[in-house]
Amino acid sequence: MTRSSVQGEDTDEGATDAPDREEAVRGDGDNGVEDARSNTRDDGGSDDGEPEGPRPTRRRRRVLRWTAVVLAVVLAGTAGAGYLYYEHLNDNIKQDVLNLGDSKVAAPTPNAAGQTPLNILVIGSDARDSEENQQLGGARETFGSTPLADVQMLVHLSADRSNMSVVSMPRDTLLEIPKCTDPDDGEVHPASEGRVMTNQSLGHGGPGCTVATWQELTGIHIDHFVMVDFAGVVSMADAVGGVPVCVDANIHSRDGSGHGSGLKLAKGTHPVKGEQALQWLRTRYGFEDGSDLARAKAQHMYLNSMVRVLRENATLSSPNKLRRLAEEATAALTVDPGLDSVKKLYDLSNELRGVKPERITMTTMPNRYVGARVEPTEDAERLFRLVREDIALDGKDAKKKPDTEPEPPADPAAPDDEIAVQVRNGTRTDALGTAPGRANTVTGLLVDRGFTKAVADPSVLPSEDRTVVRYPSADLEGDARRVAKSLGIPASSVKRSTDVSGVTLVVGADWREGTAYRTPESDDSIPDSAEALNGADDSACMHVNPAFTWS
C-alpha cells in the first residue's frame, strides 16, 4: 500500500527547492501542539512515515491549518438561514483572485439537463497572521513569512447533484508550478524550474496559484476555492459541540523525544472539540504506521463524522449555536470573488447539502515516494479522469447511455485538404518511454486520407493516457471533429483548449503501435490506492500503534 507523506503537515525543505527558513521554528514544545515543521525521517517512528534508510536530518517546526471543519460546514449547510445574513458576517469574509495562471481549463460540457459539475479547491495555509494563530501553532518567529498550502482538497459535486467526491493531495507532491502573477503588487512568479513541492504554490501570489497548479496537473476545471484560518478549527469544533471519533485502543500521541500531537484518548468513541479536535487532525505518531496516509485517513473520518453531526444534531437548530457557527466560519475564510458573501456561501451550501452521506467519497491522491517526496502514480491520473468525466467514485452512477454523435458544430469543417493539423507524440507514461515515430506514422495516415496539411511536431512530447484532438476556438471545432472521425477517434476525445493554437492531435499511450485506433475500454472503478472512505461509514475506527498506547 502506498503511503502518503502529507495531508496537513508542513514542509521538510531539506530535500526540495523550498525557500530557506529559520531553523527550529513553527512549533511550541509547551503547548501540546505537534512539532510539525520538521520532516525528519531518521528513525522508526518517523513523523512522516518515510521508508527506512538515510533521511534528512534538517529539522523544521511545523504547523497545520486544517480545513475539514469549514468544508464540513459547506457540505452540510444548516437550517435557519436568516441568521447568516448579518452584514458583519460579509465583512468577515476575505477574498482573493481565483486563478493566477496563464492557462485555463475549459468548463465541462453540460449534460442533457444543462447541468455541469462544481469543483471547489479547499486550501489550508500555514501562515501565521494573527496572535491567536501563533499561539495555537507556535511559529512566532515566522510571522509574515511566505505561506505554504499544506492542506489541499478538491471537492467535486456531480452535475446531477447526486454525489460528491473529495480528493486530498499530499502537500509534498512533486509537480511543476506554472507562472503566476501576484494580483496585489503585479509581481510575476516564473514557472518552477523542474518539479517542486505543491505546497509552495501558495507563496507564488496567493491561493489562485494553487488553483492554477491543480488545473495544470489534473486537467480539472476549478470553479471556486476556499482557504481556511487555523484558529477557526478550534472555535468551530466548539460551536458544533464536538465531533465523535474512534480509536481501537488507548492512545497518547507523544514519543520519548516529545514528538507527537499530544492527543490522549481512551479506547472507543469520544466527541472531540477545541484543541483536542486539532490534535486528532494532526496526529501521526500513534495512528497505524505513523505515516501521513494514516493521518489522512483520520482526517477523512473526522470530516465524515462532522457532516453527520451537522445533519443529525438537533441542537444546531438553536439560534445561538447557528450564530456562533456562522461567526466562526466566516471569520476563518478566504474565498474567490464568486463566493465573497454569506448569500453566495449559503447558496453554495444549498447546492451541496442535498448529497446524502452515503454518496460522499473521501480519497487521497495515489502516490509513490521519490526520495523524501512523493509523485502521482498512474492510479492518480485514473482518479483525476473519473473526476474530469464526472463519474461517481462510489460506483453508484446510473448506467450511462452509449456515446451519441454530438450536435453539429456551428462552423462546419473545411475540406480535408485545407485543414491544418499538428500531430504530437504523447505516448510517454510513468512506466514506459515515448514510443518512437508515432507522430510521423499518424501524420502519414492523415496525409493518405486527404489531410495534406498535416505535419508532425517533434518539438513537443506531452504525456497523454488517451489520444485526443484539441482545438482552440469554436470556428475550428468542425475541423477537429472531422480529423477525429477520419481516424476513428470518438467525439468525446475532441476537446477545446487554449493550450493549442490550431487543430492538434496528440497520439496517446492508448495508441503506441499500429495504424488502426481502437477506443480503450474504460475502467471506471476507483483505484484501491486512493484509500476511499464512504461518508456514511460510522463504524470506522483508527488503529492505534501499540508503541503509543497506555493502560
Side-chain angles (χ1 to χ4, degrees), residues 387-411:
V387 174
R388 283 196 303 268
E389 297 181 8
D390 196 26
I391 297 170
L393 298 187
D394 60 7
K396 297 177 182 177
D397 265 341
K399 189 173 182 179
K400 297 182 182 295
K401 296 179 180 179
D403 288 340
T404 57
E405 189 69 24
E407 292 293 325
D411 194 345

Side-chain angles (χ1 to χ4, degrees), residues 21 48 68 148 166 181 186 197 213 221 261 352 461 544:
R21 301 216 179 164
D48 286 289
L148 299 168
V166 179
T181 303
M197 296 201 316
T213 302
H221 174 80
S261 70
L352 299 169
L461 294 175
V544 175

Side-chain angles (χ1 to χ4, degrees), residues 56-200:
T57 56
R58 192 175 187 182
R59 190 173 294 272
R60 307 277 185 184
R61 301 268 186 183
R62 305 172 190 157
V63 294
L64 166 67
R65 209 179 271 261
W66 177 240
T67 61
V69 265
V70 170
L71 177 57
V73 171
V74 174
L75 292 179
T78 58
Y83 294 104
L84 300 179
Y85 285 90
Y86 292 104
E87 187 61 33
H88 70 274
L89 293 182
N90 284 333
D91 294 336
N92 283 346
I93 302 169
K94 299 174 286 294
Q95 66 168 295
D96 215 322
V97 177
L98 174 61
N99 187 345
L100 301 181
D102 289 340
S103 63
K104 312 298 178 186
V105 174
T109 302
N111 62 17
Q115 302 166 302
T116 55
L118 187 64
N119 294 306
I120 306 160
L121 186 63
V122 181
I123 304 168
S125 163
D126 75 345
R128 283 294 169 268
D129 52 6
S130 71
E131 181 178 349
E132 182 181 10
N133 281 327
Q134 291 175 25
Q135 290 173 349
L136 285 171
R140 296 170 181 81
E141 299 89 341
T142 58
F143 179 82
S145 61
T146 303
L148 299 168
D150 279 342
V151 176
Q152 301 176 32
M153 304 174 73
L154 180 69
V155 180
H156 171 85
L157 179 64
S158 65
D160 64 5
R161 304 309 191 245
S162 68
N163 66 88
M164 189 182 304
S165 306
V166 179
V167 180
S168 297
M169 183 187 292
R171 52 102 189 166
D172 54 0
T173 299
L174 292 175
L175 43 69
E176 295 180 2
I177 298 175
K179 183 182 80 171
C180 294
T181 303
D182 192 317
D184 294 330
D185 57 15
E187 179 182 356
V188 176
H189 297 266
S192 61
E193 296 182 5
R195 299 191 303 174
V196 298
M197 296 201 316
T198 182
N199 66 351
Q200 296 181 35

Side-chain angles (χ1 to χ4, degrees), residues 287-300:
F287 284 158
E288 299 185 352
D289 62 356
S291 74
D292 275 308
L293 179 60
R295 178 160 63 181
K297 187 182 295 185
Q299 292 169 345
H300 291 161

Side-chain angles (χ1 to χ4, degrees), residues 248-487:
D248 67 0
N250 299 342
I251 182 174
H252 186 199
S253 178
R254 186 74 73 198
D255 69 6
S257 300
H259 299 128
S261 70
L263 177 71
K264 189 171 185 179
L265 284 176
K267 177 181 178 180
T269 300
H270 310 274
V272 294
K273 58 183 179 178
E275 291 198 47
Q276 192 175 44
L278 186 62
Q279 289 173 335
W280 173 274
L281 296 166
R282 302 184 63 192
T283 295
R284 279 175 299 152
Y285 285 99
F287 284 158
E288 299 185 352
D289 62 356
S291 74
D292 275 308
L293 179 60
R295 178 160 63 181
K297 187 182 295 185
Q299 292 169 345
H300 291 161
M301 287 182 185
Y302 180 95
L303 177 54
N304 284 339
S305 183
M306 189 166 189
V307 169
R308 292 192 296 269
V309 167
L310 287 167
R311 286 177 173 275
E312 299 168 6
N313 191 341
T315 62
L316 287 179
S317 62
S318 160
N320 287 334
K321 283 187 176 288
L322 284 167
R323 184 181 297 112
R324 183 180 179 191
L325 186 58
E327 290 275 4
E328 303 297 352
T330 53
L333 298 179
T334 300
V335 298
D336 66 273
L339 295 176
D340 64 355
S341 71
V342 171
K343 183 181 185 305
K344 291 176 182 178
L345 288 169
Y346 182 73
D347 288 345
L348 175 62
S349 76
N350 276 340
E351 287 259 54
L352 299 169
R353 66 190 299 180
V355 180
K356 297 178 180 179
E358 55 266 28
R359 298 302 312 275
I360 298 173
T361 306
M362 304 283 178
T363 66
T364 297
M365 183 197 79
N367 62 85
R368 59 172 162 251
Y369 276 103
V370 180
R373 302 289 174 244
V374 299
E375 66 181 3
T377 63
E378 293 84 355
D379 279 354
E381 171 52 31
R382 179 171 150 197
L383 184 64
F384 297 151
R385 180 185 67 81
L386 295 177
V387 174
R388 283 196 303 268
E389 297 181 8
D390 196 26
I391 297 170
L393 298 187
D394 60 7
K396 297 177 182 177
D397 265 341
K399 189 173 182 179
K400 297 182 182 295
K401 296 179 180 179
D403 288 340
T404 57
E405 189 69 24
E407 292 293 325
D411 194 345
D416 292 353
D417 61 358
E418 294 181 13
I419 299 176
V421 188
Q422 279 196 336
V423 183
R424 296 173 178 171
N425 188 342
T427 56
R428 175 176 53 86
T429 70
D430 289 339
L432 298 171
T434 300
R438 294 306 294 161
N440 287 329
T441 297
V442 175
T443 298
L445 290 175
L446 286 170
V447 171
D448 289 346
R449 295 176 189 187
F451 295 88
T452 55
K453 290 188 176 181
V455 294
D457 178 8
S459 66
V460 181
L461 294 175
S463 178
E464 294 284 349
D465 281 350
R466 296 193 178 193
T467 298
V468 62
V469 181
R470 296 192 172 100
Y471 63 95
S473 54
D475 61 311
L476 292 178
E477 181 180 2
D479 293 356
R481 287 202 206 172
R482 173 63 191 142
V483 168
K485 187 173 183 179
S486 73
L487 295 172

